[in-house]
Structures are given as structure tokens and as C-alpha cells.
Amino acid sequence: MDLNELKQTVQQCRRCGLCETRRNVVFGDGSPDADIMFIGEAPGETEDNTGIPFVGRAGQLFDKYLAAVGLRREDVYIANTIKCRPPKNRDPNPEEQAACIDYLREQTRLIDPKMIVCLGRIAAYRIISPDFKITRDHGIFYERKGKILTAVYHPSLLLRDPRKKDEMLADMLKIKAKADELAGRA
Ligand code: URA
């Protein structure tokens, strides 16, 4: 299955109750050849309306961090742990996450990035470790199965707590430098 076929499959998905309330499946955005794959939590309202991840307020802030470190959306790939919006933006529940995780696994296998960056604690919990503490462990690089894993603050947290913005910029700069190193550009 290629990425387009996977997208078409996910667009028909009825594995959990979120299919009843979604407007659009939010599959992913960016380059299928990206070295860096960012993984957020779940689509919000603007994403549900457009079918594109990280295009609401948090997404616009995230785009600024990409630009600040010399990256464009087209250089990276962006997805979420679950592909449909939970009503009223509540946290995805374990059943919804379990129903969707195979799609993310397959998407990650097809993109085959060198580095996976979790956006926020929910993605870090799922992808890095249930023991992950975002305030303690953000910006640390882990290696697993030949890939670098790391996590940064979720951009919506930065909207609520702008004091964390300096740490976010520092983490994003480290991520860009690491990606350059992995690509042999450093
Ligand atoms: N927050 C997320 O985690 N993902 C999105 O796509 C938008 C907001």
C-alpha cells in the first residue's frame, strides 16, 4: 500500500465513534520524503473543517517555529496520533487511540523519516514512553530502531503559557541541527 492508498483507506474509516462526528479525516500534510515527521495529538475544529493538520491558531504558531529554524511545511511531514477530531477537543480516549494507531504506524513506515518529533505530551506518551514527562524530557533525543525520537511542547500549550516559548525555540533549533547532521549537511 502506498501513502495515497493509505489515505483513501483512512478516509473511509469507521473503526471508532469519531467517524460519526467528524467533518473530515485529517490524514497528514507535507512531503512524503521528509526526514522529519512531526506528530501532534488530534485534529481541532479548523483541522476538522479543512482536512489539514495544524492549520488553526496552534498550527499557525507552529508554522512560525518551522520558519524560525529555516524549515517550511513542504520540507517536513505533519500528522496526528488520531485522524478525527474528538468532540469539543477533549483528549482522545484509549479506545480511539487504539483504533487509529495502526494507521500512524503504517504512515510512519511509508514516510520513513530519520527523526520523529512528538508535539506535546499525548503523542510523546504514545510514541516515546508512558513515563515521558513533557516538562522534564522535552528536547531529549532518543534512538529507537535507527530513528531519532524527541518531543517538544505542544503549540497550543505555548498559546496558554508563552513563558515556554524560549525553550520551544531552543528545542526546534536542536532538531534542525540534528536533522542536518543526519542528512550529512552539518
Ligand atoms: N492540535 C493537534 O494536536 N493537531 C492538530 O492537527 C491541530 C491541533
Side-chain angles (χ1 to χ4, degrees):
M1 194 182 272
D2 68 20
L3 200 62
N4 262 328
E5 288 164 343
L6 180 64
K7 182 173 182 178
Q8 279 165 26
T9 304
V10 180
Q11 277 169 336
Q12 317 289 323
C13 181
R14 303 194 62 81
R15 284 188 187 176
C16 81
L18 297 181
C19 69
E20 305 291 345
T21 48
R22 73 176 176 226
R23 275 172 176 253
N24 282 291
V25 169
V26 180
F27 181 70
D29 188 31
S31 166
D33 302 316
D35 284 348
I36 313 177
M37 179 167 174
F38 289 92
I39 303 178
E41 178 183 328
E45 188 178 11
T46 321
E47 292 76 20
D48 184 45
N49 285 335
T50 56
I52 307 168
F54 283 98
V55 287
R57 272 184 77 217
Q60 287 163 23
L61 179 59
F62 179 59
D63 282 345
K64 288 188 185 159
Y65 282 98
L66 287 177
V69 302
L71 289 169
R72 297 162 309 165
R73 247 174 201 255
E74 310 87 88
D75 301 323
V76 302
Y77 192 84
I78 307 174
N80 282 304
T81 59
I82 66 165
K83 311 298 189 213
C84 298
R85 181 192 183 203
K88 300 190 180 143
N89 297 345
R90 61 161 169 74
D91 286 352
N93 67 37
E95 292 75 32
E96 291 155 358
Q97 296 205 356
C100 218
I101 194 75
D102 283 347
Y103 294 141
L104 180 65
R105 283 208 187 98
E106 187 60 7
Q107 197 174 17
T108 308
R109 194 185 68 77
L110 291 166
I111 306 282
D112 194 22
K114 293 185 167 57
M115 191 182 321
I116 295 173
V117 182
C118 301
L119 292 169
R121 67 181 172 87
I122 300 261
Y125 175 93
R126 284 298 304 194
I127 292 156
I128 302 180
S129 159
D131 299 324
F132 197 91
K133 295 269 179 294
I134 194 79
T135 39
R136 183 190 65 193
D137 302 329
H138 68 89
I140 298 176
F141 293 126
Y142 303 87
E143 196 174 341
R144 195 185 299 160
K145 296 187 193 158
K147 294 196 190 306
I148 301 295
L149 306 184
T150 189
V152 297
Y153 289 124
H154 194 288
S156 62
L157 177 71
L158 302 172
L159 290 171
R160 294 194 301 274
D161 185 358
R163 287 169 307 175
K164 294 197 159 47
K165 285 186 171 180
D166 288 351
E167 288 173 271
M168 177 69 167
L169 182 60
D171 287 347
M172 290 293 290
L173 286 165
K174 267 174 57 180
I175 286 163
K176 174 66 166 62
K178 188 74 173 174
D180 284 348
E181 181 194 316
L182 294 170
R185 286 191 297 262

